[in-house]
Amino acid sequence: MDLSTTIAGIRFPSCFMNASGALCVTKEELIALGRSRAGAIVTKSMTVEARQGNPAPRYYGFPGGSINSMGLPNLGYKAYAELIPELKRLGKPVIASVAGLCEDDFPVIAQAINEAQPDLIEVNLSCPNIPGKPQIGYDAEASERLMKRVRKVITVPMGVKLPPYFDPAHHKLMGDVIGRCGVDFLNLINSVGNGLVVDPETETVVIKPKGGFGGLGGTIIKPVALANVRAFWKHFEGRMPIIGTGGVMNGVDAFEHLLCGASAVQIGTALVEEGVGVFDRLEQELAACLEKRGYRSVSECRGKLREL
Ligand code: SIN
């Protein structure tokens, strides 16, 4: 079974990879991803300065999902720029995830990280967890300005990681914006922010930052992720490569993302809960699912969702 995939001309040995944020902050974690069955190494979203992130507890898993408010803990872009050549030697594509605490941070980081030549750059417009800083992806004008600025300094394939949109009008608005910005691929979706999980026993919230508010992940967000993958797949008539992220806990979940139009899938909650061994399991489950349904490769089923 061929589980490899190609995004913006870059070949990935497997369509599964980590979502930025899941076990990818430190050098050790990134090397472990490189040595695992993951099809790529995706860095934590980086900021100008190193960050400790938000106070703990800041991740909570529950049956059906997770909530997090990590607050972009990362080593700072200079450390990731230094690490990239070593990570590339592990023999799979490296995706550098670029964030920022203000609009002007993004081009600074993008330019420096581009010089380190990761295989692709993913620009994160959708972190829901920085107190007082709304998700850029919900501001179409700011998103367009920012994407155009970073595009000027990025020479490798450039993608954007978007927040979930809940209305076709917003899929169209953002699709049109993206179409004007020279974007090479999309990553859909970031965690669904902001949710609130309550523990009725203790009568408390379950994470500390922002009064318990945070980004939701896992099974509960899969329909939202699938809707976004499908909507943008249709908007771009199948010509924009999409990484589907959200609710992939098993091989069938991944198959659903592929049917909706994803070329690859990223794993967040399941990776945090299970560790890098999750990639072996997911590969086996997806291969069995595709074989049972008569598909020989990931590309054969991409976008093939039938409507009634
Ligand atoms: C975080 O670090 O808070 C999560 C990052 C993200 O959702 O983009």
Side-chain angles (χ1 to χ4, degrees), residues 20-21 44-45 54 68-73 97 99 124 126-130 161 190-191 215:
S20 176
K44 175 68 184 170
S45 295
N54 291 337
N68 88 81
S69 182
M70 306 304 288
L72 294 176
S97 175
N124 184 353
S126 48
C127 176
N129 300 330
I130 304 299
K161 186 165 183 183
N190 208 322
S191 60

Side-chain angles (χ1 to χ4, degrees), residues 139-153:
D139 179 338
E141 271 177 36
S143 296
E144 179 159 6
R145 212 165 44 233
L146 198 153
M147 284 189 272
K148 285 181 171 163
R149 284 180 73 186
V150 290
R151 181 68 278 185
K152 286 198 185 113
V153 298

Side-chain angles (χ1 to χ4, degrees), residues 175-212:
D176 289 346
V177 165
I178 288 160
R180 295 194 288 270
C181 294
V183 171
D184 298 306
F185 69 97
L186 300 178
N187 185 342
L188 308 165
I189 55 175
N190 208 322
S191 60
V192 175
N194 271 259
L196 182 65
V197 174
V198 170
D199 182 341
E201 283 307 315
T202 56
E203 304 180 20
T204 64
V205 299
V206 297
I207 56 172
K208 185 175 173 72
K210 291 176 65 178

Side-chain angles (χ1 to χ4, degrees), residues 96-112:
S97 175
V98 170
L101 297 182
C102 66
E103 225 175 288
D104 287 343
D105 287 353
F106 283 78
V108 171
I109 301 172
Q111 182 154 21

Side-chain angles (χ1 to χ4, degrees), residues 5-298:
T5 193
T6 300
I7 295 170
I10 307 294
R11 185 183 174 279
F12 294 72
S14 159
C15 64
F16 291 106
M17 64 193 83
N18 67 296
S20 176
L23 307 189
C24 61
V25 174
T26 65
K27 176 177 175 175
E28 293 70 30
E29 287 174 332
L30 291 163
I31 287 177
L33 286 166
R35 293 191 176 138
S36 77
R37 296 287 303 174
I41 306 172
V42 186
T43 71
K44 175 68 184 170
S45 295
M46 56 194 82
T47 51
V48 172
E49 305 295 341
R51 286 172 59 83
Q52 294 295 321
N54 291 337
R58 57 191 188 178
Y59 173 92
Y60 180 82
F62 55 91
S66 66
I67 184 167
N68 88 81
S69 182
M70 306 304 288
L72 294 176
N74 78 97
L75 306 177
Y77 77 89
K78 288 183 185 147
Y80 293 111
E82 269 177 32
L83 261 175
I84 282 172
E86 185 177 342
L87 296 177
K88 282 181 78 171
R89 285 197 289 276
L90 294 167
K92 55 181 76 166
V94 174
I95 304 182
S97 175
V98 170
L101 297 182
C102 66
E103 225 175 288
D104 287 343
D105 287 353
F106 283 78
V108 171
I109 301 172
Q111 182 154 21
I113 210 74
N114 186 70
E115 279 167 23
Q117 288 287 290
D119 297 280
L120 308 94
I121 291 178
E122 177 179 291
V123 181
N124 184 353
L125 301 181
S126 48
C127 176
N129 300 330
I130 304 299
K133 309 234 181 246
Q135 293 166 80
I136 299 162
Y138 286 139
D139 179 338
E141 271 177 36
S143 296
E144 179 159 6
R145 212 165 44 233
L146 198 153
M147 284 189 272
K148 285 181 171 163
R149 284 180 73 186
V150 290
R151 181 68 278 185
K152 286 198 185 113
V153 298
I154 293 176
T155 59
V156 301
M158 177 187 109
V160 287
K161 186 165 183 183
L162 297 174
Y165 300 99
F166 297 92
D167 192 281
H170 294 155
H171 295 132
K172 174 163 180 5
L173 174 68
M174 280 310 287
D176 289 346
V177 165
I178 288 160
R180 295 194 288 270
C181 294
V183 171
D184 298 306
F185 69 97
L186 300 178
N187 185 342
L188 308 165
I189 55 175
N190 208 322
S191 60
V192 175
N194 271 259
L196 182 65
V197 174
V198 170
D199 182 341
E201 283 307 315
T202 56
E203 304 180 20
T204 64
V205 299
V206 297
I207 56 172
K208 185 175 173 72
K210 291 176 65 178
F213 285 71
L216 300 172
T219 300
I220 53 168
I221 74 162
K222 188 176 71 172
V224 178
L226 295 176
N228 277 270
V229 171
R230 191 67 183 164
F232 283 98
W233 165 263
K234 283 186 163 186
H235 183 92
F236 290 103
E237 296 174 342
R239 287 194 287 270
M240 175 70 79
I242 294 173
I243 300 175
T245 307
V248 178
M249 309 302 285
N250 59 49
V252 177
D253 296 327
F255 177 59
E256 292 175 16
H257 270 269
L258 300 176
L259 283 177
C260 289
S263 294
V265 288
Q266 291 188 350
I267 314 300
T269 300
L271 173 57
V272 172
E273 297 289 340
E274 218 172 306
V276 293
V278 74
F279 294 112
D280 303 68
R281 176 175 70 76
L282 291 171
E283 269 196 14
Q284 286 166 23
E285 290 173 356
L286 178 60
C289 171
L290 292 181
E291 195 173 325
K292 187 171 138 205
R293 310 191 70 84
Y295 292 108
R296 285 164 303 181
S297 67
V298 158

